[in-house]
Amino acid sequence: MGDPALGGLWDFLGERIARLAAGRVRTRLVHAGADAGGIRTPANRLLSDAVLLARAVTLEEAGDADAFVIGCWGAPTAVVRAAVPVPVTGLAEASVRAMGSLARRAAVVTVADSLVPVFADEIRGLGGAGVFAAPPVRAYRPESAHLDVRRAVDDPTDLIERFDVSARIAVDEGADAVVVGCGYLGAIFDAHGYRAVSTAADVPVIDPNRLALEHVLQLCHLADVGIRPTDRGYPTAAGARRAALLHTSRRLVPDAAASTSQEGTPA
């Protein structure tokens, strides 16, 4: 759910995503609709996955989206893809797909130690083990809280310094690209011009939001010519199963319409 205390952050993200879209598509930042407590513990992540799934199902059922980008690492991207008949991607999937073509040994730097195994499992599950350095994910310290991120919208100096310490270590261990393991910070760093590791100008620091937007547009183009997720790989719910999915989704996010942020105006 969109915490009102982070209103400035939501406005920034909505505007930033619209700018990345550059008029090619119309974008809208939508909150999950319920606060599951984030993904830094397994229990909270399980609830978060359920809420994100429910939100996507209710949005698609209402005809409110032609495609989805789940703006979070540790997201149930494959499950949502099987549940809705429109293109879907997430930050982790888009990053792994892009780095497979753009880097030889990429690395991810994220915001908390508890997220390292979550994101590393995602990378392995997406087939990225051969592309990402070992270890594929590391966290900066001290870990950041929402207050840090809210302040960083205007001045990200402190978080850039924390991030860059870990990014430099990744470079020393062979990384040739570093992906920001946080949708918030990826957008903030990119907007403030932090796009390369301080000690290695030839090692880019990459915003996963940009990768995810480009990936979902590619999936939309493929869908337009009839190339879609396979029925065997992504079986969809039908009949009574579909009815149960819709019913429970509406119960999980009954006030979802009120959690939609302002619509971004394409730049």
Side-chain angles (χ1 to χ4, degrees):
M1 179 171 285
D3 184 344
L6 301 176
L9 175 61
W10 307 139
D11 291 342
F12 166 81
L13 287 174
E15 292 167 2
R16 188 68 188 170
I17 292 165
R19 187 176 295 278
L20 292 178
R24 294 171 291 170
V25 291
R26 200 167 184 81
T27 62
R28 192 159 50 114
L29 176 64
V30 178
H31 301 297
D35 183 5
I39 64 169
R40 295 191 187 187
T41 72
N44 293 109
R45 185 187 178 193
L46 179 62
L47 284 177
S48 178
D49 284 356
V51 169
L52 285 170
L53 170 62
R55 188 67 173 106
V57 167
T58 56
L59 276 169
E60 194 281 324
E61 179 71 11
D64 285 345
D66 298 319
F68 292 101
V69 172
I70 305 177
C72 181
W73 284 76
T77 305
V79 176
V80 174
R81 179 174 292 128
V84 298
V86 297
V88 177
T89 193
L91 302 188
E93 179 172 312
S95 296
V96 171
R97 304 297 180 232
M99 291 301 100
S101 297
L102 301 175
R104 291 297 185 100
R105 285 176 58 83
V108 173
V109 175
T110 189
V111 300
D113 285 328
S114 61
L115 296 176
V116 170
V118 174
F119 295 177
D121 285 348
E122 275 196 298
I123 289 169
R124 282 191 290 270
L126 289 162
V131 175
F132 283 76
V137 186
R138 61 182 65 252
Y140 63 63
R141 297 184 179 94
E143 69 178 56
S144 56
H146 276 157
L147 179 59
D148 296 315
V149 179
R150 187 173 64 188
R151 290 171 175 164
V153 171
D154 296 317
D155 182 4
T157 304
D158 177 59
L159 292 189
I160 288 174
E161 290 175 353
R162 290 190 222 173
F163 183 97
D164 199 68
V165 169
S166 292
R168 294 198 303 267
I169 295 172
V171 171
D172 291 342
E173 294 177 349
D176 63 334
V178 177
V179 182
V180 183
C182 172
Y184 299 156
L185 293 187
I188 290 170
F189 290 172
D190 191 53
H192 285 272
Y194 175 58
R195 303 190 184 104
V197 179
S198 64
T199 57
D202 59 339
V203 178
V205 172
I206 301 173
D207 173 15
N209 298 287
R210 186 184 293 273
L211 299 178
L213 178 63
E214 298 303 326
H215 188 225
V216 83
L217 290 177
Q218 181 186 45
L219 294 177
C220 288
H221 294 322
L222 291 173
D224 288 342
V225 297
I227 301 175
R228 298 175 177 274
T230 66
D231 293 335
R232 292 191 183 191
Y234 296 93
T236 59
R241 290 187 177 88
R242 179 69 181 177
L245 179 63
L246 287 171
H247 175 72
T248 302
S249 294
R250 292 176 186 132
R251 294 188 66 183
L252 278 174
V253 288
D255 300 319
S259 68
T260 302
S261 79
Q262 68 178 39
E263 185 168 316
T265 301

